[in-house]
Amino acid sequence: MKAFRLDELDAERAANQGAYLQFLRERNMSVGLYALNAGDTDPQGPHAEDEVYVVVSGRAAITVGTETTEVARGSVVYVPAGAQHRFHHISEDLRVLVVFSPPES
């Protein structure tokens, strides 16, 4: 078993001065914590892997392809491999668990 605390992961991510911290990598998936502060621009582009986002805290909108939805704590969003996607209109600091399958390259 591997167990993690979100507050410790976020502190590690911040200490490494990055928006993303991969904290688990297994044969069929990887998991990370993604952080964007209110007003930030999300620089990411399409990924070669399927993704699931689980919003831990914050508030924003996300556009996947041509569809847009509002997200907040408890929101879960699936993004298929190769899809254009981006968080925007980030009104509260956003913390998101990201599950990649297969593991992010």
Side-chain angles (χ1 to χ4, degrees), residues 3 8 11 23 38 43 47 50 55 63 66-67 71 73 76 81 84 86 95 100:
E8 292 171 356
F23 61 89
H47 303 283
D50 288 335
V55 178
T63 298
T66 60
E67 295 181 88
V71 295
R73 181 176 178 231
V76 179
Q84 286 283 351
R86 184 167 325 279
R95 299 298 181 267
F100 286 100

Side-chain angles (χ1 to χ4, degrees), residues 4-14 21 23 33 97:
F4 306 92
R5 291 182 44 100
L6 287 174
D7 57 341
E8 292 171 356
L9 294 171
D10 198 33
E12 182 179 346
R13 180 206 53 77
L21 171 70
F23 61 89
L33 179 64
L97 287 176

